């Protein structure tokens, strides 16, 4: 995946070079194209270039929260441990010795992990229930002006809310399990996504810059 992201970044860098050159040629040939390397274009780039790195798509903030959530899930191993528990019928993978009847003795670590999983899942279920319950509240502030769901503040912020709740669930899982590593473990878990998938943020930022320059060239 890293190699793929590096290839995409390289392609985007090449396009960032070719796009202004192509727009300049089109403007020289009489096309109705704004030239990004003209005096006006250079002024626009210096004024809006930095902001353009996070302007497109408009849900860039949700993408960053998604990266944070995926990183937190991977760093906490919450999903892997949950799938292992489900696969083994709730017995987990922390076994120390066989019993006289051929069964397995679950270790204290396994019990803590199982309890932590239940706490995290319980929190997520409660969070999803609350997110759904607001739709049935009379005069809910999260519904649209006419009381509709589409469009509404609830629908706009639903993705961000889910990603944040997933991050909180991962923190709860690590804390209850005893592997959070103190208070500083919280920001470490929240930023794990940037450490693991930081190159994809560069992909989105360069894509945003390409879109903004393209819109400028066509007068958008």
């Amino acid at each position: 995946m890293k190699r793929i992201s590096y290839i995409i970044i390289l392609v985007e860098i090449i396009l960032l070079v070719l796009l202004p050159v192509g727009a300049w040629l089109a403007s020289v040939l009489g096309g109705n194209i704004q030239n990004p390397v003209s005096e006006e274009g250079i002024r626009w780039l210096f004024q809006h270039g930095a902001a353009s790195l996070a302007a497109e798509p408009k849900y860039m903030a949700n993408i960053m929260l998604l990266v944070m959530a995926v990183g937190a899930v991977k760093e906490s191993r919450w999903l892997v441990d949950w799938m292992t528990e489900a696969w083994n019928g709730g017995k987990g993978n922390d076994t120390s010795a066989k019993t006289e009847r051929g069964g397995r003795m679950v270790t204290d670590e396994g019990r803590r992990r199982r309890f932590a999983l239940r706490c995290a899942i319980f929190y997520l279920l409660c969070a999803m229930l609350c997110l759904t319950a607001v739709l049935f509240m009379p005069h809910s502030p999260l519904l649209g002006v006419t009381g509709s769901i589409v469009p509404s503040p609830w629908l706009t912020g639903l993705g961000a809310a889910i990603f944040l709740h997933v991050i909180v669930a991962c923190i709860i899982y690590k804390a209850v399990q005893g592997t959070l590593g103190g208070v500083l473990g919280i920001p470490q878990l929240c930023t794990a996504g940037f450490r693991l998938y930081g190159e994809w943020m560069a992909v989105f930022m360069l894509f945003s810059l390409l879109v903004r320059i393209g819109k400028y060239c066509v007068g958008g």
Side-chain angles (χ1 to χ4, degrees):
M1 291 298 292
K2 285 185 178 295
R3 184 176 179 84
I4 294 175
S5 65
Y6 294 153
I7 294 174
I8 296 175
I9 290 174
L10 180 60
V11 171
E12 289 176 332
I13 292 174
I14 294 173
L15 289 176
L16 282 172
V17 175
L18 295 179
L19 180 59
V21 174
W24 171 75
L25 287 174
S27 64
V28 169
L29 295 175
N32 187 22
I33 296 292
Q34 294 190 91
N35 183 4
V37 294
S38 63
E39 291 184 2
E40 180 64 29
I42 293 175
R43 282 197 295 269
W44 176 87
L45 185 61
F46 268 76
Q47 288 179 338
H48 305 285
S52 298
L53 290 170
E56 301 287 346
K58 295 181 179 179
Y59 43 83
M60 178 65 76
N62 281 358
I63 293 176
M64 295 180 67
L65 287 173
L66 173 61
V67 170
M68 292 174 63
V70 173
V73 170
K74 186 171 182 179
E75 185 79 3
S76 66
R77 293 184 55 84
W78 174 68
L79 185 60
V80 173
D81 291 341
W82 177 76
M83 293 180 65
T84 302
E85 286 283 338
W87 180 263
N88 293 335
K91 296 180 181 179
N93 57 356
D94 293 299
T95 55
S96 57
K98 290 184 177 180
T99 62
E100 293 181 357
R101 297 183 178 181
R104 291 283 185 175
M105 295 176 58
V106 181
T107 62
D108 291 337
E109 181 182 356
R111 294 189 183 92
R112 285 197 303 271
R113 177 174 295 150
R114 189 180 303 171
F115 180 66
L117 282 171
R118 292 193 181 115
C119 290
I121 293 174
F122 178 75
Y123 169 81
L124 272 183
L125 290 175
C126 289
M128 296 304 106
L129 180 62
C130 290
L131 285 175
T132 306
V134 296
L135 297 178
F136 302 96
M137 294 173 54
H139 309 294
S140 174
L142 295 182
L143 293 177
V145 178
T146 60
S148 60
I149 299 178
V150 183
S152 68
W154 179 86
L155 187 62
T156 302
L158 180 61
I162 292 176
F163 299 148
L164 286 172
H165 283 307
V166 169
I167 294 172
V168 174
C170 292
I171 294 173
I172 292 174
Y173 175 63
K174 293 272 288 183
V176 174
Q177 192 179 358
T179 58
L180 185 60
V183 179
L184 291 180
I186 296 177
Q188 182 179 357
L189 191 63
C190 291
T191 57
F194 298 125
R195 296 195 305 272
L196 296 172
Y197 310 108
E199 62 275 2
W200 287 102
M201 298 308 302
V203 169
F204 287 116
M205 293 172 71
L206 290 175
F207 173 78
S208 174
L209 182 59
L210 274 170
V211 172
R212 291 287 288 179
I213 293 177
K215 285 185 175 182
Y216 172 81
C217 293
V218 298

